[in-house]
Amino acid sequence: MFNHSADDAAHPPKVLTTPLEIIANLRSLQEGRDPLIITFAERNQRFQSYVIGIDRDAGSLVLDEMIPREGERYLLAGEPFKVEGFHDGVRIAWDAVGPIALVDNDNGRGYQGRLPSAIIYHQRRNAFRAPLKLSALVDVALAGDKLPAQTLRGKLLDLSATGCKLRFDGDLSERLQLGQVYERFSAALPFGPITTAVELRYLHFEERLDATFAGVRFHNMSGLAGRNVERFVYQLQREARRFDKDVF
């Protein structure tokens, strides 16, 4: 069984200060096309962006156009902000270094500033993340006060003791908000259905597939729901190991 409380505590956060370490981690966010969450000190709203340019010689970093666009006004006004991203279970975060300039390039609109002098590196997820077979995807539903009179229905793509990845039909990028807690997430797991609150940590619309992919983290999950998740993850883990033996 998995230990929920130890999941985040297993690896304390590190502060990386060498240019080589900083650029390597920023590069991983860029190459992984991992979404960034941007927050301003005096505001509650969260915004999304991406790393789209790194120039070590010039000491510069370029971020993609912010979503929603109104965040650009705060950024260009010089308001201090923090940046947070996740790559393969690692939290990478830093305080933005001003000033920020508006730039246009091959990627469209962007914001250029200085490379951070330090980043926080935190390995947060030790839990096995189990993918589901396409023929056996689990039905899920997402609802909450921020989705009034509306329940979003989709499929569960993978699962760990601390969170999961979801797929919904259509473009939901304007209806879901990164960092938001949605009070009613339900999944029809084979060992028993679960209902819990979740926090949205990842959001990406894939136009080619006309599908929105979302990553959520379980929030204040009950003991019963946690046990049902653990049993299902354990089953998927055993199936994955059995498949590896059959292949190799």
Side-chain angles (χ1 to χ4, degrees), residues 4-199:
H4 293 275
S5 62
D7 187 69
D8 284 351
H11 298 282
K14 302 175 183 177
V15 178
L16 307 181
T17 58
T18 69
L20 186 63
E21 291 175 317
I22 292 170
I23 289 174
N25 281 280
L26 294 176
R27 191 82 67 192
S28 69
L29 291 172
Q30 180 184 16
E31 293 175 352
R33 191 64 181 164
D34 299 308
L36 306 176
I37 298 173
I38 294 179
T39 54
F40 292 89
E42 303 299 324
R43 304 184 185 277
N44 294 325
Q45 191 173 4
R46 298 185 176 208
F47 303 89
Q48 179 174 300
S49 184
Y50 297 86
V51 175
I52 59 173
I54 301 169
D55 190 328
R56 179 174 182 177
D57 294 333
S60 65
L61 173 68
V62 181
L63 302 181
D64 200 6
E65 181 176 358
M66 296 175 67
I67 303 172
R69 177 74 171 275
E70 67 184 280
E72 178 179 298
R73 178 160 49 93
Y74 311 140
L75 182 148
L76 296 179
E79 294 191 21
F81 65 97
K82 296 180 181 293
V83 186
E84 176 186 52
F86 289 84
H87 182 76
D88 289 343
V90 176
R91 176 178 178 264
I92 301 170
W94 66 94
D95 291 327
V97 180
I100 306 294
L102 183 65
V103 294
D104 289 311
N105 50 44
D106 294 339
N107 297 286
R109 201 177 185 90
Y111 318 108
Q112 182 173 304
R114 298 206 307 272
L115 285 169
S117 58
I119 62 172
I120 296 172
Y121 178 99
H122 190 189
Q123 175 71 51
R124 301 184 69 180
R125 175 168 54 80
N126 290 329
F128 175 82
R129 184 167 288 276
L132 278 71
K133 297 177 181 178
L134 290 177
S135 60
L137 297 183
V138 169
D139 291 329
V140 300
L142 185 66
D145 293 343
K146 298 297 182 179
L147 291 168
Q150 181 182 40
T151 297
L152 303 179
R153 302 191 183 279
K155 296 291 185 180
L156 180 69
L157 299 183
D158 71 24
L159 180 69
S160 80
T162 57
C164 55
K165 185 175 181 180
L166 314 172
R167 187 192 72 203
F168 299 97
D169 291 335
D171 185 0
L172 302 181
S173 57
E174 297 297 325
R175 293 155 68 184
L176 295 172
Q177 175 68 47
L178 279 174
Q180 181 64 55
V181 173
Y182 296 96
E183 300 89 347
R184 295 181 296 281
F185 167 77
S186 58
L189 301 186
F191 290 104
I194 66 165
T195 300
T196 185
V198 294
E199 180 184 2

